[in-house]
């Protein structure tokens, strides 16, 4: 089974404004739509699009929690979220107008789950996840969620024997490295924070990636439109470059990339095929507006255009 654990998911409310958004004017809404939010939820969207068995868990609450599950179920994602107590899942507002100058993201930081919910999640992991499973822990928890608890979740996952894929940042990523997850995917900015170095040249990235490969099987550093550098323990370091795309929105590309990696890993494909696919599907995401949107048809067309290099 493929699990995603999203500690601070969201309902994304996308508001399309007619014309150009102006201060101190009546800005008329053209359309409102809702999308699943939270990195792990986006990862689940890839699994379900490919017809892979998967369960989304994490914390939800209140009316927005119900709304999120509805939106997930429309995408055929099986949800087993834990009720986070008297909280309401956060709502993130995305404002987009017709100026073609990009969107505004206005996000709530999310409420903390109560102790009972936290214990329930730990118990669920212990009872239900086992060594044949894969678990993706994507995104940060709500502000104020203690690092110790985050690490406890990862340790509990580790004890099940499942393969752990992490997409985290800042102090959560730093802490989790010592727990030796199977896979991490920092973007360029997150990787520089992690290493504490300003990295410019490919060789600088390779050196740091190889250092981390002593502990972590797969280290994928994503570089937006430039693609990714991927180090695989005892195998080497590879570069994957996507074809040029007419970009609509890069938000969510990393999440869809992670979904692509896990899906092909689950299907026992080799490293080149895994990351060729992840690169193509995340490029397709860049051509779509919503964070959870991509096209499998476009992905197939992009696959042969992905360039692969072996660095080491
Ligand atoms: P997220 O918003 O999901 O957190 P991220 O910053 O973690 O994204 P990126 O490095 O921006 O992740 O993108 C992940 C992958 O998506 C890249 O490695 C690349 O393969 C693909 N990608 C991103 N932007 C583009 C683009 N403009 N054109 C083609 N592919 C892209
Ligand atoms: Mg990015
Ligand atoms: Mg990211």
């Amino acid at each position: 089974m493929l699990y995603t654990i999203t500690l601070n998911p969201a309902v994304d409310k996308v508001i399309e404004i007619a014309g150009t958004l102006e201060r101190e004017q009546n800005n008329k809404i053209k359309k409102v739509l809702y999308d699943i939010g939270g990195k792990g939820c986006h990862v689940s969207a890839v699994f379900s699009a490919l017809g892979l068995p998967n369960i989304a868990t994490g914390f939800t609450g209140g009316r927005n929690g119900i709304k999120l599950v509805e939106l997930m179920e429309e995408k055929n994602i099986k949800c087993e979220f834990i009720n986070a107590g008297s909280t309401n899942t956060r709502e993130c507002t995305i404002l987009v107008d017709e100026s073609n100058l990009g969107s505004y993201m206005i996000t709530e930081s999310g409420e903390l789950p109560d102790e009972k919910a936290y214990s329930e999640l730990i118990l669920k992991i212990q009872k239900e996840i086992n060594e044949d499973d894969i678990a993706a822990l994507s995104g940060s928890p709500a502000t104020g969620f203690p690092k110790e608890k985050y690490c406890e979740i990862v340790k509990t996952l580790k004890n099940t024997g499942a393969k752990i894929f992490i997409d985290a940042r800042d102090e959560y990523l730093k802490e989790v490295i010592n727990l030796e997850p199977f896979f991490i995917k920092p973007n360029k900015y997150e990787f520089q924070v992690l290493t504490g170095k300003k990295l410019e040249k490919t060789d600088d990235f390779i050196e740091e990636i190889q250092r981390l490969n002593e502990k972590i099987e797969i280290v994928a550093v994503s570089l937006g439109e430039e693609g990714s550098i991927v180090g695989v323990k005892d195998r080497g370091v590879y570069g994957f470059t996507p074809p040029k795309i007419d970009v609509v929105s890069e938000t969510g590309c990393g999440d869809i990339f992670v979904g692509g990696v896990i899906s092909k890993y689950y299907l026992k494909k080799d490293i080149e095929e895994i990351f060729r696919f992840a690169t193509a599907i995340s490029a397709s995401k860049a051509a779509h507006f919503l964070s959870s949107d991509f096209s499998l048809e476009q992905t197939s067309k992009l696959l042969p255009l992905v360039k692969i290099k072996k660095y080491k």
Side-chain angles (χ1 to χ4, degrees):
M1 183 60 73
L2 298 170
Y3 286 88
T4 62
I5 301 169
T6 312
L7 300 175
N8 191 21
V11 170
D12 284 356
K13 181 177 185 180
V14 182
I15 303 176
E16 285 182 37
I17 304 283
T20 303
L21 183 66
E22 303 269 10
R23 286 176 202 269
E24 293 172 43
Q25 291 281 336
N26 178 13
N27 296 286
K28 284 244 159 62
I29 293 176
K30 218 170 80 178
K31 200 164 90 189
V32 175
L33 52 97
Y34 291 91
D35 187 24
I36 59 174
K39 297 190 162 295
C41 299
H42 298 152
V43 173
S44 298
V46 178
F47 299 160
S48 283
L50 294 171
L52 304 177
N54 71 90
I55 290 171
T57 187
F59 302 120
T60 52
R63 273 178 36 208
N64 284 342
I66 295 167
K67 176 92 189 156
L68 175 64
V69 169
E70 276 170 20
L71 293 165
M72 300 276 280
E73 285 176 350
E74 277 171 24
K75 292 182 184 286
N76 291 317
I77 299 164
K78 188 172 181 213
C79 294
E80 293 184 3
F81 286 102
I82 284 157
N83 190 312
S86 57
T87 66
N88 192 15
T89 293
R90 70 198 169 116
E91 183 172 280
C92 297
T93 307
I94 295 126
L95 274 179
V96 59
D97 64 9
E98 294 174 332
S99 65
N100 270 330
L101 292 171
S103 57
Y104 293 88
M105 266 186 99
I106 302 154
T107 64
E108 290 180 353
S109 53
E111 297 172 73
L112 290 170
D114 63 17
E115 275 305 320
K116 182 166 162 281
Y118 173 73
S119 313
E120 251 182 73
L121 179 65
I122 295 286
L123 215 64
K124 182 176 177 65
I125 293 171
Q126 286 169 338
K127 275 204 333 230
E128 293 173 26
I129 300 184
N130 66 54
E131 69 217 10
D132 299 325
D133 296 327
I134 291 176
L137 189 59
S138 283
S140 301
T143 311
F145 191 80
K147 272 187 309 210
E148 296 71 27
K149 280 188 169 163
Y150 183 84
C151 287
E152 194 59 41
I153 293 170
V154 178
K155 273 187 215 150
T156 310
L157 281 170
K158 197 123 199 193
N159 288 337
T160 67
K163 286 267 179 314
I164 308 170
F165 288 66
I166 302 271
D167 182 3
R169 57 186 303 161
D170 302 333
E171 73 267 33
Y172 296 106
L173 179 58
K174 231 172 220 161
E175 287 289 322
V176 100
I177 296 293
N178 301 320
L179 303 175
E180 307 192 358
F182 181 74
F183 169 95
I184 56 170
K185 192 225 66 73
N187 65 20
K188 185 177 180 173
Y189 167 79
E190 291 155 358
F191 195 59
Q192 298 193 84
V193 172
L194 176 68
T195 57
K197 291 180 185 157
K198 178 119 191 72
L199 303 168
E200 297 286 355
K201 295 196 292 288
T202 302
D203 282 344
D204 300 339
F205 281 95
I206 293 173
E207 198 184 313
E208 294 299 324
I209 288 171
Q210 284 187 308
R211 202 194 317 276
L212 281 164
N213 272 148
E214 286 165 21
K215 287 183 176 172
I216 296 161
E217 192 79 19
I218 304 178
V219 177
V221 178
S222 68
L223 309 169
E225 65 179 350
E226 289 169 44
S228 56
I229 304 174
V230 179
V232 185
K233 193 176 188 170
D234 303 328
R235 284 281 304 279
V237 183
Y238 305 75
F240 296 85
T241 312
K244 271 260 162 300
I245 285 286
D246 284 331
V247 178
V248 179
S249 164
E250 289 180 345
T251 309
C253 281
D255 309 343
I256 302 306
F257 182 92
V258 171
V261 170
I262 299 176
S263 298
K264 292 294 164 173
Y265 176 81
Y266 171 81
L267 296 170
K268 303 207 168 5
K269 303 298 180 189
D270 64 30
I271 286 297
E272 294 199 5
E273 203 174 328
I274 290 171
F275 285 93
R276 180 187 291 280
F277 181 78
T279 305
I281 196 170
S282 54
S284 169
K285 154 56 223 143
H288 289 75
F289 180 72
L290 296 179
S291 300
S292 69
D293 235 1
F294 50 83
S295 143
L296 291 179
E297 199 186 319
Q298 185 182 29
T299 302
S300 303
K301 290 193 187 128
L302 296 174
L303 278 173
L305 306 175
V306 174
K307 293 206 174 72
I308 305 180
K309 221 188 262 174
K310 177 105 198 263
Y311 289 120
K312 291 259 166 171

